[in-house]
Amino acid sequence: MAALDPADVLIELWNDAGFDEEALDDVAFTGTEPVLPSSFAVGTAAQALIGAAALAAAELWRLRSGRPNY
């Protein structure tokens, strides 16, 4: 089974939550899935969820302050 791409996982999570897709342009992933035998894509899940949390925090900042996230 091929490893999932964390960017694809994040896009799906972000879209399911109903947030603006433009925010996804501010995220970049590096590295690969750890070389640990597992039936779970732990590295991919961690990258996608940490990316989603960071984007959500940036969105909260934008909504509360009215200022851009950069």
Side-chain angles (χ1 to χ4, degrees), residues 14 50-64 69:
W14 200 248
I50 291 169
L55 282 176
E59 182 66 7
L60 282 173
W61 167 258
R62 186 189 66 76
L63 291 170
R64 288 182 179 176
N69 301 326

Side-chain angles (χ1 to χ4, degrees), residues 2-25:
L4 297 171
D5 179 30
D8 292 338
V9 175
L10 176 59
I11 289 167
E12 190 168 334
L13 286 171
W14 200 248
N15 288 337
D16 287 349
F19 292 118
D20 185 6
E21 284 189 39
E22 189 175 314
L24 294 166
D25 295 338

Side-chain angles (χ1 to χ4, degrees), residues 25-59:
D25 295 338
D26 295 331
V27 177
F29 293 102
T30 60
T32 58
E33 185 70 29
V35 185
L36 298 173
S38 175
S39 58
F40 303 102
V42 177
T44 298
Q47 283 183 304
L49 292 174
I50 291 169
L55 282 176
E59 182 66 7

